[in-house]
């Protein structure tokens, strides 16, 4: 066809486009291509596109557990970033922890809801029990073998219950049943008036959050899980578990106590997992553990006491504040298990570094002061206490030794060295013959013991057996004497419950000297020691003393809507403080129940209790997992 040339006219292309149009079209096309590749490679959360376009990761054969964790990389494949706290799921976005994993444990556990997305997920698993990743989900192969773990336990978790038919034991069974009833009442009151809140206020019949948990809720639920399981409160356990699955969200942005979140939430979730094999507990524990890691970003690696869930940052603005021995010294048990269950070595590394700092630092007379600067790594002041601020640091040394199946020699040595120093400088006997552990302020003694320090009878008893031979009987006797003193602090009150602190001064012994120390907030430490002393000695005195506590709790602390602390143990009609502490369900009632149980119920050969009484298993395996590497 002939085309006529017109001056000033640009001819169209064969597709009918003129040159400038063609240029614009090509420009648009190349922009589109750049955009696509940009989305594929540059955007940080483009995992779904990546999966579409890039080769999918192959599953490792033979792995027992396939956890579906968005945004988490298996440690052995990829070193975690220095500050690996992952982005919390956006509101409305599915929290990976709520997807229940494979269930391997036969027993009374059942699903709360017979049908639903979780059942679909379960159905999607093959006969191997390995879940295929859902479209759009990142999968993480993970090799924790729950069946193998269970098979290594020396005793059935809940014991053999051989006492049921024996006549002399029937009173014990009735006592245990009574404590179970108290737990049921405490739980049901909480569920009725405060479900999902952190703790119950039984007088006002509502809940409250407190300021320790950074916006996390449900402290009582998490703290109760293993006690409900232990007591075979099946319906109640299912209620608690369903709440964790459906309502326990980690996308919170407040400031939390690293210690409290660790001992209550991480400890509670880990125990619930080890008791049941339910994936939801394992995944939530790991995800929450990751949120705690920014607290360790200090010049020394000694964590700050407070972690900011929003920024995750450690601020130089608060650099002056010191970290507390009992807080940074009570992470070891849980963090080793986080590594064991996640395959991520970072948790174990963090607590091993704390150990290293404490090992190296100069200790006045072999004592560990309560405050340490996370910036300089120096002690901030010389206050030493086996009660508040110091307590569970010592507890975690001996329990690290036991939890490692007696292989962690460093923990063992540190514990017995510390105990020697405590005995030399802090231990006293009152004129009335009561043995107590005083507090030390740069060489001056405060002749008082806090209620919190009363856990030490149990701790010393627990560690007596592994001391040097010539010390064993001595430590067992020391444990008994300290426990007797703590019992006296209860026996000398009108309510038969003990005060927050008691003194040995001016002829007054084992009593509080002011109203501000006369309260009792449902604390567990004294019954905790009764439980350990009972298991070591089988002296019926400890059960008698424990039963006195049960009666006193019923008389003075039980209200219409749960249990409450009291303001003055020396009053025969004390006012209530309107708080049912979550540790009452986690610890006080659990230790009481164990005091009236057979020794193979949560046997001390298989379990150590964290400082919130959550049982964590002894490592009976010779696994080469990062958690148990020697250092
Ligand atoms: C609990 O939260 C823990 O036992 C902690 O170690 C100290 N005190 C309370 C209970 O008294």
């Amino acid at each position: 066809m002939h085309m006529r040339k017109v001056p000033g006219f640009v001819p169209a292309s064969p597709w009918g486009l003129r040159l400038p149009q063609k240029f614009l079209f090509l420009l648009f096309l190349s922009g589109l291509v750049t955009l696509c590749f940009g989305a594929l490679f540059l955007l940080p959360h483009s995992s779904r596109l990546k999966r579409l376009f890039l080769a999918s990761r192959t599953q490792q054969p033979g792995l027992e557990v396939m956890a579906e964790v968005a945004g988490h990389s298996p440690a052995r494949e990829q070193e975690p970033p220095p500050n690996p706290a992952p982005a919390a799921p956006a509101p409305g976005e599915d929290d990976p922890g709520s997807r229940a994993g494979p269930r391997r444990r036969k027993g009374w556990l059942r699903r709360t809801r017979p049908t639903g997305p979780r059942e679909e997920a379960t159905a999607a698993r093959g006969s191997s029990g390995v879940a295929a990743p859902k479209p759009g989900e990142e999968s993480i192969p993970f090799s924790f073998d729950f069946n193998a773990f269970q098979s290594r336990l020396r005793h059935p978790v809940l014991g053999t219950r051989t006492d049921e038919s024996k006549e002399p034991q029937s009173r014990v069974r009735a006592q245990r049943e009574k404590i179970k009833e108290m737990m049921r009442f405490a739980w049901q009151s909480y569920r009725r008036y405060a479900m999902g809140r952190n703790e119950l206020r039984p007088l006002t019949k509502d809940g409250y959050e407190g300021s320790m948990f950074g916006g996390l809720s449900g402290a009582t639920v998490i703290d109760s899980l293993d006690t409900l399981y232990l007591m075979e409160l099946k319906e109640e356990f299912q209620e608690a578990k369903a709440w964790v699955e459906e309502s326990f969200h980690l996308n919170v942005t407040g400031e939390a106590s690293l210690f409290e979140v660790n001992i209550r939430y991480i400890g509670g979730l880990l125990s619930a997992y080890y008791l049941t094999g339910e994936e939801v507990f394992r995944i939530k524990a790991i995800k929450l553990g990751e949120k705690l890691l920014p607290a360790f970003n200090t010049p020394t690696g000694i964590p700050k006491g407070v972690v900011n869930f929003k920024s995750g940052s450690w601020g130089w603005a608060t650099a002056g504040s010191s970290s507390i021995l009992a807080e940074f010294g009570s992470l070891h048990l849980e963090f080793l298990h986080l590594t064991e269950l996640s395959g991520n070595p970072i948790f174990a590394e963090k607590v091993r570094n704390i150990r290293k700092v404490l090992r190296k630092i100069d200790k006045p007379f072999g004592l560990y002061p309560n405050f340490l600067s996370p910036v300089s790594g120096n002690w901030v002041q010389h206050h030493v206490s086996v009660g508040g601020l110091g307590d569970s640091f010592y507890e975690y040394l001996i329990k690290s030794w036991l939890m490692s199946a007696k292989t962690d020699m460093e923990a063992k040595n540190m514990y017995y060295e510390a105990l020697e120093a405590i005995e030399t400088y802090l231990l006293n006997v009152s004129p009335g013959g009561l043995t107590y552990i005083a507090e030390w302020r740069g060489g001056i003694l405060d002749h008082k013991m806090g209620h919190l320090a009363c856990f030490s009878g149990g701790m010393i008893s627990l560690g007596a057996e592994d001391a040097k031979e010539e010390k064993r009987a001595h430590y067992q006797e020391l444990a008994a004497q300290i426990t007797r003193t703590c019992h006296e602090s209860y026996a000398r009150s009108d309510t038969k419950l003990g005060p927050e602190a008691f003194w040995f001064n001016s002829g007054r012994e084992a009593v509080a000297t002011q109203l501000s120390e006369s309260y009792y907030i449902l604390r567990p430490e004294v019954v905790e020691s009764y439980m350990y002393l009972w298991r070591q000695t089988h002296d019926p005195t400890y059960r008698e003393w424990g039963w006195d506590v049960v009666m006193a709790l019923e008389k003075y602390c039980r209200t219409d809507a749960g249990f409450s602390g009291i303001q003055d143990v020396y009053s025969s009609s004390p006012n209530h403080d309107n708080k049912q502490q979550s540790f009452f369900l986690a610890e006080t009632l659990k230790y009481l129940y164990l005091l009236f149980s057979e020794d193979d119920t949560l046997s001390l050969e298989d379990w150590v209790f964290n400082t919130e009484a959550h049982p964590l298993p002894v490592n009976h395996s010779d696994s080469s997992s990062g958690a148990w590497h020697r250092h």
Side-chain angles (χ1 to χ4, degrees):
M1 189 171 82
H2 175 74
M3 290 183 71
R4 199 160 54 100
K5 221 175 169 185
V6 180
F9 178 72
V10 182
S13 72
W15 297 286
L17 292 174
R18 297 200 175 88
L19 208 55
Q21 288 170 317
K22 202 162 78 179
F23 177 72
L24 276 176
F25 176 71
L26 283 174
L27 203 65
F28 169 75
L29 211 62
S30 65
L32 196 68
V33 169
T34 311
L35 200 69
C36 285
F37 275 87
L40 190 54
F41 290 106
L42 302 178
L43 294 179
H45 297 298
S46 57
S47 54
R48 291 165 196 211
L49 275 172
K50 277 184 192 173
R51 206 192 320 279
L52 265 176
F53 289 100
L54 302 176
S56 62
R57 262 190 211 153
T58 48
Q59 290 179 8
Q60 293 180 16
L63 295 175
E64 275 297 304
V65 179
M66 174 73 83
E68 297 161 358
V69 187
H72 179 93
S73 305
R76 289 187 191 86
E77 281 177 35
Q78 181 186 314
E79 271 299 298
N83 187 353
E93 197 180 320
D94 191 11
D95 181 339
S98 67
R99 290 187 281 272
R103 295 171 53 212
R104 308 197 145 63
R105 188 171 192 284
K106 290 202 180 91
W108 49 261
L109 284 169
R110 62 171 170 72
R111 296 230 171 263
T112 317
R113 296 180 309 174
T115 55
R118 289 183 194 85
E119 281 60 39
E120 283 165 28
T122 306
R125 293 174 207 288
S127 55
S128 65
V130 175
K134 286 182 201 163
E137 279 177 348
E138 227 173 317
S139 65
I140 295 198
F142 181 70
S143 60
F144 185 78
D145 185 336
F146 188 78
N147 283 337
F149 151 70
Q150 277 201 312
S151 70
R152 286 191 293 267
L153 293 175
R154 309 271 200 263
H155 303 272
V157 174
L158 301 183
T160 46
R161 308 272 154 118
T162 47
D163 65 325
E164 307 269 318
S165 58
K166 294 184 202 159
E167 182 51 29
Q169 300 285 354
S170 65
R171 177 158 187 258
V172 173
R173 194 160 72 246
Q175 289 171 314
R176 205 165 54 230
E177 283 305 310
K178 174 64 199 164
I179 296 158
K180 181 171 171 175
E181 183 279 324
M182 292 165 77
M183 178 68 189
R184 185 187 289 116
F185 176 66
W187 168 262
Q188 287 181 351
S189 303
Y190 164 77
R191 188 203 55 191
R192 180 161 178 202
Y193 299 112
M195 188 66 183
R197 309 293 298 280
N198 278 326
E199 288 171 313
L200 163 70
R201 299 199 298 185
L203 301 193
T204 42
K205 298 185 178 169
D206 57 7
Y208 73 103
E209 301 305 332
S211 56
M212 298 186 301
F213 305 120
L216 290 172
S217 54
T220 296
V221 181
I222 310 283
D223 251 358
S224 297
L225 282 162
D226 51 18
T227 311
L228 295 171
Y229 184 89
L230 165 70
M231 296 183 183
E232 297 182 90
L233 287 164
K234 301 173 188 182
E235 290 301 317
E236 290 80 0
F237 178 85
Q238 292 304 330
E239 289 161 4
K241 182 184 147 210
W243 184 86
V244 174
E245 286 175 331
E246 288 153 24
S247 309
F248 181 45
H249 301 300
L250 304 183
N251 53 338
V252 294
T253 54
E255 289 197 327
S257 157
L258 172 67
F259 167 77
E260 296 291 352
V261 170
N262 177 59
I263 67 168
R264 299 191 201 212
Y265 286 90
I266 303 279
L269 291 165
L270 288 173
S271 288
Y273 174 68
Y274 280 117
L275 292 174
T276 66
E278 294 278 346
E279 279 291 280
V280 61
F281 302 129
R282 184 177 74 88
I283 303 299
K284 296 259 184 189
I286 294 165
K287 299 295 283 178
L288 186 52
E290 287 167 347
K291 284 180 78 81
L292 298 181
L293 291 174
F296 294 81
N297 294 338
T298 66
T300 57
I302 294 289
K304 267 176 44 104
V306 170
V307 58
N308 185 322
F309 284 145
K310 186 173 185 186
S311 64
S313 69
W314 179 78
W316 283 92
T318 51
S321 65
S322 34
S323 300
I324 293 171
L325 181 68
E327 296 193 341
F328 66 78
S330 307
L331 304 165
H332 208 92
L333 305 179
E334 296 83 357
F335 273 51
L336 289 196
H337 276 294
L338 285 176
T339 283
E340 173 74 352
L341 292 185
S342 66
N344 187 344
I346 195 163
F347 301 106
E349 284 163 15
K350 296 296 182 195
V351 289
R352 286 203 183 110
N353 178 60
I354 295 175
R355 176 83 70 76
K356 205 159 114 195
V357 172
L358 287 173
R359 193 90 193 106
K360 279 195 188 151
I361 189 172
D362 246 14
K363 290 162 275 285
F365 305 102
L367 296 166
Y368 289 83
N370 290 336
F371 298 99
L372 188 78
S373 162
V375 176
S376 67
N378 294 324
W379 302 117
V380 174
Q381 47 168 282
H382 286 185
H383 175 220
V384 179
S385 161
V386 177
L389 305 176
D391 49 8
S392 41
F393 160 68
Y394 305 99
E395 176 185 355
Y396 272 39
L397 288 179
I398 188 62
K399 288 181 176 176
S400 293
W401 158 251
L402 296 170
M403 196 179 84
S404 71
K406 305 191 179 181
T407 58
D408 184 351
M409 290 300 295
E410 186 176 60
K412 179 186 184 185
N413 294 335
M414 286 172 78
Y415 170 74
Y416 290 109
E417 283 162 16
L419 189 55
E420 292 247 12
I422 287 164
E423 208 180 334
T424 307
Y425 296 103
L426 276 63
L427 198 77
N428 267 275
V429 180
S430 72
L434 296 179
T435 301
Y436 62 96
I437 304 180
E439 297 193 2
W440 191 85
R441 289 178 194 277
I444 314 278
L445 289 185
D446 280 346
H447 292 272
K448 77 162 184 184
M449 253 181 102
H451 192 290
L452 290 167
C454 284
F455 86 99
S456 59
M459 175 185 75
I460 294 169
S461 173
L462 184 66
E465 176 180 311
D466 292 325
K468 287 183 196 142
E469 203 175 338
E470 66 272 20
K471 286 280 210 174
R472 286 177 198 163
H474 166 69
Y475 282 144
Q476 198 53 58
E477 178 56 21
L478 180 60
Q481 289 305 329
I482 291 170
T483 304
R484 183 169 78 90
T485 299
C486 290
H487 170 258
E488 283 302 314
S489 79
Y490 276 48
R492 294 177 187 200
S493 77
D494 293 42
T495 54
K496 305 301 169 207
L497 294 166
E500 182 67 3
F502 45 94
W503 291 78
F504 302 84
N505 265 343
S506 335
R508 304 191 70 200
E509 297 191 353
V511 288
T513 52
Q514 42 192 323
L515 187 62
S516 62
E517 294 173 334
S518 300
Y519 60 89
Y520 171 69
I521 56 169
L522 305 174
R523 285 199 191 278
E525 290 76 16
V526 174
V527 294
E528 174 181 352
S529 283
Y530 294 168
M531 191 280 290
Y532 282 110
L533 267 293
W534 163 258
R535 287 228 171 158
Q536 296 296 331
T537 66
H538 291 144
D539 179 342
T541 306
Y542 297 112
R543 280 188 166 170
E544 284 161 25
W545 289 352
W547 193 246
D548 292 343
V549 176
V550 170
M551 294 292 98
L553 287 168
E554 283 288 281
K555 185 164 177 189
Y556 295 105
C557 299
R558 191 169 179 134
T559 75
D560 289 346
F563 288 88
S564 167
I566 55 176
Q567 289 171 355
D568 182 5
V569 296
Y570 302 107
S571 160
S572 51
S573 51
N575 291 326
H576 290 117
D577 70 3
N578 196 21
K579 277 189 187 171
Q580 180 175 278
Q581 305 278 351
S582 75
F583 55 66
F584 180 65
L585 295 89
E587 298 190 72
T588 312
L589 292 175
K590 184 186 286 133
Y591 285 133
L592 281 169
Y593 186 83
L594 290 172
L595 176 61
F596 293 96
S597 299
E598 296 291 298
D599 291 356
D600 62 359
T601 305
L602 289 176
S603 163
L604 297 179
E605 282 186 66
D606 285 327
W607 304 91
V608 294
F609 293 92
N610 87 340
T611 194
E612 190 78 358
H614 295 306
L616 299 172
V618 171
N619 173 40
H620 288 313
S621 80
D622 47 10
S623 145
S624 61
S625 132
W628 315 117
H629 276 154
R630 310 291 168 262
H631 24 98

